[in-house]
Amino acid sequence: MSGSSRLFSLLSVAMAVLLLTTPAAAADASSEIDFSADATPNPQYGVQLTKATHNASWDSPLRYENNDGELVLADAEVNDSVDNPYSFYPTHVDAADFGAFPVDKENVSALDANEWTVNESNTAGTVTLMSDSPASDIDGVRFSTTSQTSGDVAVFEFSNFSIDSDIQKKHLATAVDVAELDAGAVVELRAVDDDGDYYAAEINASRTSGSNLIANATGSGYVFQEQMGQMDLVTAGDGSVGTLESVQVVVRDGDADVTMSMLNLEKLSKYKLGTRLENTDDDELETVDVYEKNASGTLAVNELSSLGSWASSAAIKGLTFDANFTAERLDAEDVDVEFKETGNKYPGYFGTVTVQYRMALPDVYDLDYQFPALTDEQSVTRDRVLSVELAEGVSESTAFEDIESWTDKTALYTSLNASVTLDDTVQPGQDTVIKYEYKVTEDQYDAMQPSALGGAGFSSGDGGWFSFLSGFTNWIAAGLATIAATVGIASKRSGA
C-alpha cells in the first residue's frame, strides 16, 4: 500500500472514531459538572449510619445488602474527620473462631447450652441455662439466677475437652454481656484442672480494678483475655496445675444474668480487636492495639482492616460510623447542569450556571440512620448566589424541568464557606431536588465544565450563535488533535 493510501485509511479510521466518540462526550457534558472546581456546590446527607450486618470480607464498609439481596455500594464516604470512626460491640460479632473451642472436636462448641450442666444443690434460687443470641444470628450461652441470696451458689459446667500441654502459655479468653448483677453477687469464670485447682476471672460489682476482672457492672461488649500463667492458681487440689478438664461459671451471693458469646482456653495469643488512635502521653495521636474491653459499650477503632485474622470472614452486627452521602457520588442521571454566557446582563460576570441534584437516602432494611440532615457548604460568595431552591418528595419519574413546587433557601446562603442546613427532617427513600443558580466569572465557568471536554463542549446552553460557534470551533480543534495523534501513532508503528 502506498504512503498516500495508508494516510487516507488512517484519516478515515480516525474521523470515524471522532464522530463516534465526541458527540457522546458532549451529551454527557450537558448533565455533569466538575466537582474539583471550587465553585461547584456539593450538598450532602450527613448521618450516623448503622448497618445491620457488615461482613469483614467485603471490600468497603459502605458495601451493604439491598432489599433484593444484592451487594451494592452506597453513594457515600466515611467521615474521615473522626479519629476512630467505626464502632461495634465485640459481643455482637459472628466469628467462627469465637465458638470453635474445643478445636479438636467437631460439632462441639462451648457456646452450645446443651454441652453445659447445672449444679444448683447449694442454692435456694432458680437457675436458668439456655442458648441465647446477644445479637441477631450470634451464638451464645446464657447463665442466670433468680432469688439467690448471700451464701447461695450455682455452678454451670462445660467439660467436653481436655488440655494437657502449654497450659500456662495459653489464654483464658471470653466475651460477655451482663444483663443483671446484684450488688453483692460475684460471677467467676474458672478454668479447672483434674483435681480441682483453677484459674479464675470475675464479674464483681464490688471491685474497680485487677488483672482478673472481667466487668464490675451491667452492660454489653466486655472482652477479657489473660495468659493463665500470669493468673493466680487457686488451690483446691494439689496446688499445681495438671490437665484442664472443665470450665465453670459460678454465680454466688446474689443474682446475675450473663450471656457469653466467646470462650477459648487454647490460644497462645490474644484476639486482636483492632487498633485505635489515642493520645497516650505527648499530645500526639498514636496507634494502639486493642485486646480487652472492661467497660460497657461499643468499641471504636480507626480501621476495620486492623481486626485480627479471626475476623477475616466475620459478620459484624450493628457496625456504626459517620457517613456523608454526597452529590459528587450521584449517577449522571441524577445531575442536571446548564451553562449560559450572559454577555452584559451581569457586569463583571461571564455567565450563569444552573445545577440540579436529585438526592435520597436509600430506604433499605439493612441500613439505619441517626441524626440525618441535608447540609451544604456555600461554594461561592453571596453576590454570586442568584437562588437556591429545594423540592421535597419529588417523584422519581418527574423530570427536572417538570418540578413545579420549590421552597426558597437563598436567604441561608450568606457568605463563602458558610455551613447551611437545608433539611433536618430527612426521610429515607424520599427524593429531594436541590437547585442552584449562580453567577460565575469566566474562570469559574470554565472550571465547572465537565472535564471530559475541558470546558469546550459543543453545546453551550442558550448562549447564542457566537457561543455555539465557539463551542463548534473548539470541537473541531479537539477533533483535529485527535486525528493528528492517531495518525502520528499509527505512522510510527508502520515505520512511515
Side-chain angles (χ1 to χ4, degrees):
M1 181 181 291
S2 67
S4 59
S5 298
R6 182 182 298 112
L7 179 59
F8 179 79
S9 297
L10 292 171
L11 286 169
S12 299
V13 171
M15 185 59 76
V17 171
L18 176 63
L19 292 174
L20 285 171
T21 59
T22 304
D28 286 344
S30 68
S31 61
E32 294 180 352
I33 194 167
D34 192 335
F35 280 93
S36 67
D38 291 340
T40 299
N42 189 20
Q44 64 182 21
Y45 290 112
V47 301
Q48 186 182 83
L49 180 65
T50 298
K51 299 169 61 178
T53 299
H54 173 75
N55 195 302
S57 65
W58 293 346
D59 61 338
S60 169
L62 295 164
R63 187 78 60 186
Y64 69 94
E65 191 174 281
N66 66 15
N67 289 343
D68 295 326
E70 302 167 329
L71 282 181
V72 296
L73 191 64
D75 297 328
E77 57 192 26
V78 178
N79 186 348
D80 59 7
S81 67
V82 180
D83 293 333
N84 300 295
Y86 307 101
S87 61
F88 61 95
Y89 289 98
T91 49
H92 296 183
V93 178
D94 181 14
D97 205 56
F98 282 6
F101 173 72
V103 296
D104 61 343
K105 293 190 175 184
E106 292 186 11
N107 302 317
V108 176
S109 171
L111 298 185
D112 181 356
N114 294 322
E115 295 287 345
W116 292 75
T117 59
V118 180
N119 181 346
E120 51 186 316
S121 60
N122 294 318
T123 179
T126 301
V127 178
T128 303
L129 171 67
M130 60 184 295
S131 293
D132 197 23
S133 293
S136 175
D137 299 324
I138 303 297
D139 291 334
V141 57
R142 180 180 176 186
F143 316 95
S144 67
T145 63
T146 304
S147 301
Q148 281 204 149
T149 59
S150 178
D152 287 343
V153 180
V155 180
F156 306 84
E157 186 172 52
F158 170 73
S159 58
N160 195 352
F161 73 97
S162 179
I163 302 175
D164 58 9
S165 63
D166 295 324
I167 292 173
Q168 293 183 323
K169 296 179 181 179
K170 294 176 179 177
H171 291 77
L172 175 58
T174 191
V176 298
D177 291 345
V178 182
E180 182 182 354
L181 182 67
D182 283 355
V186 176
V187 181
E188 287 187 318
L189 175 64
R190 300 176 178 176
V192 187
D193 78 357
D194 48 0
D195 66 356
D197 299 314
Y198 62 89
Y199 299 106
E202 286 188 353
I203 302 171
N204 188 337
S206 300
R207 294 180 54 186
T208 58
S209 62
S211 61
N212 71 332
L213 182 64
I214 301 173
N216 65 358
T218 58
S220 299
Y222 296 106
V223 178
F224 174 86
Q225 302 185 83
E226 185 66 53
Q227 192 175 50
M228 284 183 276
Q230 301 298 316
M231 301 174 70
D232 293 332
L233 182 68
V234 179
T235 300
D238 62 8
S240 62
V241 65
T243 301
L244 294 183
E245 298 283 353
S246 70
V247 175
Q248 294 179 350
V249 174
V250 179
V251 183
R252 57 182 173 84
D253 298 329
D255 289 325
D257 188 339
V258 177
T259 299
M260 178 186 293
S261 55
M262 183 266 281
L263 179 65
N264 203 326
L265 275 66
E266 297 179 283
K267 279 179 64 67
L268 293 171
S269 61
K270 296 180 179 181
Y271 292 102
K272 184 180 176 182
L273 303 179
T275 59
R276 288 177 47 81
L277 293 177
E278 293 183 358
N279 180 5
T280 55
D281 55 14
D282 55 5
D283 294 330
E284 295 291 333
L285 290 176
E286 298 178 9
T287 301
V288 177
D289 293 337
V290 181
Y291 296 98
E292 294 185 309
K293 189 170 176 298
N294 55 15
S296 176
T298 57
L299 170 67
V301 299
N302 66 321
E303 294 287 351
L304 290 179
S305 59
S306 69
L307 275 63
S309 59
W310 60 270
S312 59
S313 60
I316 302 173
K317 307 294 183 175
L319 176 68
T320 298
F321 54 92
D322 288 346
N324 298 322
F325 289 74
T326 62
E328 184 175 3
R329 296 177 179 271
L330 292 172
D331 293 335
E333 64 187 24
D334 293 320
V335 180
D336 185 76
V337 184
E338 183 180 18
F339 291 93
K340 291 182 181 180
E341 295 178 22
T342 53
N344 295 323
K345 182 177 180 180
Y346 299 112
Y349 298 100
F350 182 76
T352 63
V353 57
T354 302
V355 187
Q356 296 187 77
Y357 301 124
R358 186 190 304 271
M359 301 181 68
L361 289 175
D363 185 13
V364 294
Y365 178 79
D366 270 10
L367 300 184
D368 183 62
Y369 310 96
Q370 292 292 317
F371 320 114
L374 178 58
T375 63
D376 194 13
E377 183 176 297
Q378 188 170 328
S379 59
V380 296
T381 54
R382 178 66 187 90
D383 57 294
R384 288 162 165 77
V385 180
L386 289 171
S387 66
V388 180
E389 298 176 295
L390 197 70
E392 297 182 78
V394 178
S395 171
E396 193 172 332
S397 61
T398 302
F400 286 109
E401 61 269 20
D402 294 333
I403 299 172
E404 297 179 351
S405 180
W406 296 95
T407 300
D408 188 13
K409 298 290 184 178
T410 311
L412 299 176
Y413 287 74
T414 58
S415 60
L416 181 65
N417 299 325
S419 296
V420 177
T421 298
L422 294 169
D423 184 8
D424 57 5
T425 59
V426 175
Q427 298 297 316
Q430 175 179 279
D431 279 16
T432 294
V433 175
I434 310 103
K435 182 179 181 180
Y436 302 84
E437 187 175 7
Y438 287 168
K439 295 180 291 185
V440 290
T441 64
E442 186 172 2
D443 286 345
Q444 291 173 325
Y445 189 95
D446 289 340
M448 295 171 74
Q449 297 273 354
S451 56
L453 291 179
F458 185 91
S459 174
S460 187
D462 54 357
W465 166 252
F466 289 104
S467 175
F468 169 84
L469 183 60
S470 174
F472 181 75
T473 302
N474 288 330
W475 177 76
I476 290 296
L480 290 174
T482 302
I483 293 171
T486 305
V487 172
I489 294 170
S491 297
K492 288 180 180 179
R493 289 179 177 172
S494 65

